[in-house]
Amino acid sequence: MRVDWHSHVWEPRHLGPTWGPELDANVGAHPSRDGSWEAHQLAMAEGEIDAAVVVALVACEIDLDIPNEYVAEYAATHPGRIVGFGSVDPADPHAVARVHHAADLGLRGLKLSPPYQGFHPHSDAAWAVYTAAADRGLALMFHQGGVFLRGGALEYAQPILLDRVARSFRDTSIIIAHAGQPWSHETAAVMFKNPNVWTDLSARYGRPHQLATILRGLTDYGVGERVLFGSDFPIYTPADCIRQLRDLVLSPPAGAPPVEPPLVDQILDARPLSILFPDLHPALSAERKDPS
């Protein structure tokens, strides 16, 4: 089963006056315009993706709001193939209630972003969100790493800050997005001591030397089996990401540590939804090319 563990859908109006324009300027394209449900389905089919995790994101201070309802509605149109993650901002006084509402919508996790949302991962408000998520059996995905937004708070972004979260909520699955770059060795250390922590490689494929180094660090720590494929669509497409990941084996960058073919194969095709959600059955690979 091939799963894209990190993707987005959105309408341009969801992205607010700051995040969307700065995203487009950083990428050199216009992903703010390309996040429709239809575009997502076509991109997943092109990449032969069996199932995808689609994440919402809200940051009150910058008027970024990809609504939980929007993601839940999309997931409901493709049960078993689209898994929705909601988002809440701990700064929202109704954050805990919104966690429960996300669970009631059928969403299976929460996307949190300390550097975009501007909160310390150990704050009381954040802890209340984690507790509610744990009570409802939701996974947690953190954007814990570098950001393009000029107003982003890197002081809250280091993956090592999630060690306390992981050891306090041991029954909650935690995904550190983007391998936690530029602190990928911190990510590996957090994963090594906390078996409930995973990482995805989304948005890392365009820097092959960095990616090869990240993978070596993760395998040296013995946590390669908890590395997930993710594209970060619509910023990137799964097909391009898969090609760039396979190129690490076919055309390794000069001076980079070698990447073994079995690791790439396992990351792409041996991370079914059931590893985090045992009740979700694998989609049929024969459906891969059907965008509907």
Side-chain angles (χ1 to χ4, degrees):
M1 186 182 193
R2 181 173 294 174
V3 177
D4 186 335
W5 282 91
H6 191 131
S7 68
H8 305 266
V9 291
W10 57 52
E11 297 177 6
R13 62 188 176 88
H14 295 151
L15 305 184
T18 304
W19 199 86
E22 289 199 27
L23 170 65
D24 288 349
N26 179 72
V27 175
H30 295 91
S32 65
R33 306 174 187 171
D34 300 330
S36 70
W37 296 359
E38 295 78 12
H40 185 272
Q41 283 293 300
L42 289 170
M44 296 303 122
E46 181 187 15
E48 298 188 330
I49 302 297
D50 296 311
V53 172
V54 177
V55 300
L57 185 57
V58 58
C60 298
E61 187 173 335
I62 57 174
D63 293 324
L64 167 64
D65 187 6
I66 305 166
N68 294 341
E69 292 82 2
Y70 182 76
V71 171
E73 185 179 354
Y74 179 46
T77 65
H78 299 277
R81 299 189 65 192
I82 300 297
V83 175
F85 275 34
S87 183
V88 301
D89 187 335
D92 182 345
H94 305 291
V96 168
R98 295 191 193 281
V99 173
H100 290 290
H101 180 55
D104 292 341
L105 289 171
L107 298 170
R108 304 299 298 264
L110 291 180
K111 172 69 179 290
L112 300 169
S113 181
Y116 285 133
Q117 295 169 323
F119 72 91
H120 193 292
H122 300 168
S123 67
D124 290 344
W127 221 256
V129 168
Y130 309 151
T131 300
D135 289 345
R136 297 302 300 267
L138 300 178
L140 295 174
M141 176 186 287
F142 286 86
H143 181 123
Q144 201 72 1
V147 294
F148 62 83
L149 192 71
R150 291 177 64 85
L154 286 177
E155 63 267 29
Y156 301 146
Q158 293 180 337
I160 205 74
L161 296 173
L162 298 185
D163 176 56
R164 181 181 173 191
V165 181
R167 68 179 190 258
S168 299
F169 296 92
R170 295 189 181 278
D171 295 327
T172 297
S173 296
I174 295 172
I175 301 171
I176 301 177
H178 316 307
Q181 73 81 34
W183 299 286
S184 60
H185 290 298
E186 286 190 13
T187 298
V190 173
M191 293 172 67
F192 175 74
K193 69 181 291 289
N194 296 289
N196 56 323
V197 178
W198 302 68
T199 194
D200 73 54
L201 301 178
S202 58
R204 301 275 51 84
Y205 311 98
R207 295 182 171 91
H209 196 289
Q210 180 193 73
L211 179 56
T213 302
I214 287 171
L215 290 172
R216 169 55 66 87
L218 291 165
T219 54
D220 283 352
Y221 269 91
V223 296
E225 75 281 357
R226 280 182 273 136
V227 178
L228 306 170
F229 172 74
S231 69
D232 217 11
F233 175 88
I235 303 171
Y236 308 101
T237 68
D240 283 345
C241 295
I242 291 167
R243 175 183 55 78
Q244 291 169 323
L245 182 57
R246 292 202 183 281
D247 280 349
L248 288 183
V249 175
L250 299 174
S251 303
V259 176
E260 298 298 326
L263 176 63
V264 171
D265 292 339
Q266 291 161 12
I267 291 170
L268 286 175
D269 293 321
R271 305 287 189 265
L273 290 171
S274 56
I275 58 175
L276 293 189
F277 307 110
D279 59 307
L280 295 180
H281 301 290
L284 297 176
S285 59
E287 296 178 351
R288 282 181 174 176
K289 296 184 182 299
D290 178 6
S292 65

